[in-house]
Amino acid sequence: MTEADLIVLGAGPAGMAAACQAAGAGLSVLVLDEQPRAGGQIYRDVARAAALRGRILGSDYTGGQALVAALDHPLIAHLPGAVAWRVDPDGTVAFSRAGVAGMARGRRLLVATGALERPMPVPGWTLPGVMTAGAAQILLKASGVVAGDAVLAGSGPLLYLVAAQMVRAGTPPRALVETQGTTDLLAAARHLPGALAGWRMLAKGGALLRELAGAGVPRFRGASAIAVEGADHATAITFDCGGTRHRIPCSTVLLHHGVVPNTQVTRSLALAHDWDAAQRAFRPVRDGWGRTSLSTVFVAGDGAGIGGAGVAALSGRLAALAIAHDLGRICAGDRDLAARPLRVRRALDLAARPFLDRAFPPFRGALAPDDATIICRCEEVTAGDIRRHAALGTLGPNQAKAFSRAGMGPCQGRFCAASVAEILAALQGTSPGRIGTHRVRAPLKPVTLAEIAALADDLPGPGPGAS
Amino acid sequence: MKTAFRDLAAGGASADASEGARVPVSFEGRALLLRAGANLAAELLVAGVMPFRHTPVSGAPRGPFCMMGACYDCLVRIGGVTQQACMIEVAGGMEIAMPPAGPADGGTDD
């Protein structure tokens, strides 16, 4: 069993910044990350790819190199390719690396597992050729692979960024099908942040839109009734816009309508969560340092509420300061002094969120899919299945899971839990916050029996040969 | 096989020296030359492999969806173990197969 003052789950901006700050205060840090190289999804593989594709991906991406470089610290052990599949309240983490399981225990735990794409169930979304917009960006970042013959559909600034990156890569998308309308933009206008933060955001957005216009990428706004056509593979996207039905032939459809906190670990620990109505997602309850309802467990980054990479890194540093104080490495005065400028910057970075949340709401059609649309990709459960179970008296997601199998497949609800909660909430005329969401249990990711058996020597209690 | 996915390094426009030499692997018995150390799902997409599998429930075809280890749609079988192609790096000699699938005719097994 490896011991550390702090175990960080995830090597994205929050995890990397926290590890550095904690190591700087003299704490031993173990960083467990699923990916082969540090960076998280936002800075995926940045140490290698920045030099190769920095021009295409932009400075918001290449800026992540400093955080990755800072992981090289004598007090930080970074284990890439480590998939955590069980996290216990006492700080014990079971994980697998290349088929070999291991265990570690931290005096404090920081969950920095980032975000997941908000599931966007539309007819045909399970067809080969349909991916998330985030997936297309990951292909570009980590592999230098660009999706051709593509249409992007949904809402949110990521759609514009991915489209612009595809333009720079010499493979512009065929079209941008946007579900938000001008009324959303008008309603969002009163949330425009003041002065500098607002200007920066609008300037960035404007530059992306000019790139798309310059490349002649058609934009459809206020689209609804989105569907993907195809028998064995996507062949076209269809949608209503401006009173007509449109059909654009394409072999790739990239869906996105926002990201939501990845709460698999925090929910498996049965920590308190609440419903963020503005971001339409569950998030762990935490204080200004990121401390959760279990005092030894902290959360930072998008997994604590969507704020983006800048906010994530600042929140990671704040959590590390609180942890360093918990463990007696810094006094309260030094903690608070170091925290002050971080909090000021975090507030500035967060100023744009209310505008973005309101201007780019989730696609209504994917929150309330047609009965025939699959919502649980793993078990192929439709929205109609969930509604039928609800009509028989199913009140919550756990009951719906038992009856329908939605959430029981290998992804363990990562791409259906939000949909189930939305559907049940709509039927009961309430908010998903009152419906709740799936319980999550270990193993958090599939693990082989051989991997568990090989852990026997690490486990407390009677070991092999004791029987 | 026709593919919509393009490798930017191919054609020498931005020669990618850090990406590995090509090594032989197979997918369902089909011989492929993929970049060693590269992301397996990305390499299979560029090679025109699709679908990656058929679902155990209905036999419907599936391919990569999230590319970040969350959705389990890119599952393949290597060395008898079903794994996420997007979480694996290419190694020479990999024999990749589709995991077992359910009824392709849309029937059920109950």
Side-chain angles (χ1 to χ4, degrees), chain A residues 14 301-302 305-316 345-347 349-350 353:
Chain A
D302 277 355
I306 304 306
V311 170
L314 294 164
S315 300
R345 278 168 57 201
R346 183 165 71 169
D349 278 3
L350 279 172
R353 289 316 309 184

Side-chain angles (χ1 to χ4, degrees), chain A residues 99 131 192 207 220 237 307:
Chain A
M131 306 176 92
L192 264 178
F220 298 87
I237 184 169

